[in-house]
Amino acid sequence: MGAVALLANPESGSGEADRVEELLRDRGADVSRFSLDEATAVLESEPQRIVVAGGDGSVGCAADVAARAPAPLAVVPVGTANDFARALGIPLDVAQATELAVRGTRTRPLDLGAAGERPFVNAASAGLSPAAARKAHGLKRVLGPLAYTVGALRAGVTAQPLGCQVRCDGDELFAGRAWQVTVACTGAFGGGAGVEADPRDGILDVVVIEAGSRARLALHAYGMRAGRVERHAGVTTGGGREVEVETDKRTSFNVDGELVDAASLRFTVRPHAFEVVAP
């Protein structure tokens, strides 16, 4: 293994990012370590491989760097939810993921989404998802990924539907009130929930859960955990290379676990923008 650029976020999830550099060196990698905001320095180092140690929000930033390098991206998941790793079958164990990062030879091309200027690899949602993320925040260290389920339950009791308009490639997909609007690459979010999406088709998949009773909302929540919410009545689906979401008031969008406040956001996709080291 030649030059490796390690992008590490020591504040992610379990705080194991600091271990990863040592594990990489133990496996023979020539490692240079960078913070997530040092993209220019990473590119100047001309690495043969980029390794990101962090949560889902860190993966999107690292994927953007890998796309520009260009160099394969290896993911060592040390966040709380680690939805990207789950979606791709990347080991959740730090030692096993580091072994794959160094020894892995198989790569997969993946699309890279952007919410405004912020890159993402999984999903961006308005409505219940950011409310659930806020409710889960203080529970992560105690409950781990289960914190997102508890947060979603709490949000479902008090949240109100969001007035919004959704357009895909300029055509209106939905206008009205919705519990949640999700724009997806892998479609994974919330520590095991998700919507159906193909991260290699060059299209952003869109799922709108229309406003309705809280009893039906509980059914939709189960559908997102079971991976089949798109089949439910009261759910609108679509997709496009460019998606616009306008809301009736300034709100929060949950972008791969990071909250972005805006009244509207434009989403775009770069097809096959980066290569990820896969099992």
Side-chain angles (χ1 to χ4, degrees), residues 89-269:
I90 295 169
L92 299 180
D93 177 80
V94 172
Q96 292 178 13
T98 305
E99 180 72 17
L100 176 65
V102 175
R103 313 287 185 207
T105 58
R106 178 173 176 257
T107 63
R108 295 176 60 185
L110 294 182
D111 302 337
L112 181 61
E117 298 298 320
R118 185 178 186 84
F120 70 94
V121 292
N122 290 327
S125 299
L128 281 176
S129 181
R134 286 196 175 92
K135 298 287 186 182
H137 183 71
L139 304 173
K140 290 181 182 180
R141 292 198 178 277
V142 177
L143 299 179
L146 184 60
Y148 293 97
T149 302
V150 174
L153 290 172
R154 288 181 172 180
V157 173
T158 59
Q160 297 298 319
L162 180 71
C164 62
Q165 182 181 43
V166 182
R167 292 185 295 273
C168 298
D169 294 333
D171 296 327
E172 184 177 279
L173 174 70
F174 176 85
R177 299 187 66 76
W179 286 115
Q180 183 161 301
V181 178
T182 300
V183 181
C185 284
T186 72
F189 62 88
V195 297
E196 292 180 358
D198 182 350
R200 296 192 294 173
D201 64 0
I203 296 294
L204 293 169
D205 293 278
V206 182
V207 178
V208 181
I209 299 177
E210 301 169 16
S213 70
R214 293 192 190 273
R216 180 164 290 277
L217 177 59
L219 177 64
H220 293 326
Y222 173 77
M224 285 188 284
R225 287 283 159 185
R228 55 174 181 267
V229 72
E230 292 83 0
R231 300 178 181 89
H232 292 186
V235 175
T236 298
T237 62
R241 295 285 295 271
E242 179 179 309
V243 178
E244 297 170 276
V245 179
E246 294 187 7
T247 65
D248 59 358
K249 60 181 178 180
R250 191 172 181 84
T251 189
S252 291
F253 291 79
N254 184 346
V255 183
D256 279 356
E258 305 294 329
L259 297 181
V260 175
D261 290 333
S264 64
L265 266 183
R266 175 176 171 266
F267 300 87
T268 55
V269 63

Side-chain angles (χ1 to χ4, degrees), residues 43 50 61-71 73 112 270 272-275:
L43 297 175
I50 296 173
C61 295
D64 182 57
V65 177
R68 288 186 281 158
L73 176 68
L112 181 61
R270 283 183 276 167
H272 292 190
F274 69 104
E275 298 271 344

Side-chain angles (χ1 to χ4, degrees), residues 29-48:
D30 178 14
V31 182
S32 297
R33 182 167 175 170
F34 303 89
S35 62
L36 291 170
D37 60 357
E38 293 183 298
T40 300
V42 173
L43 297 175
E44 289 175 348
S45 74
E46 298 183 343
Q48 292 181 309

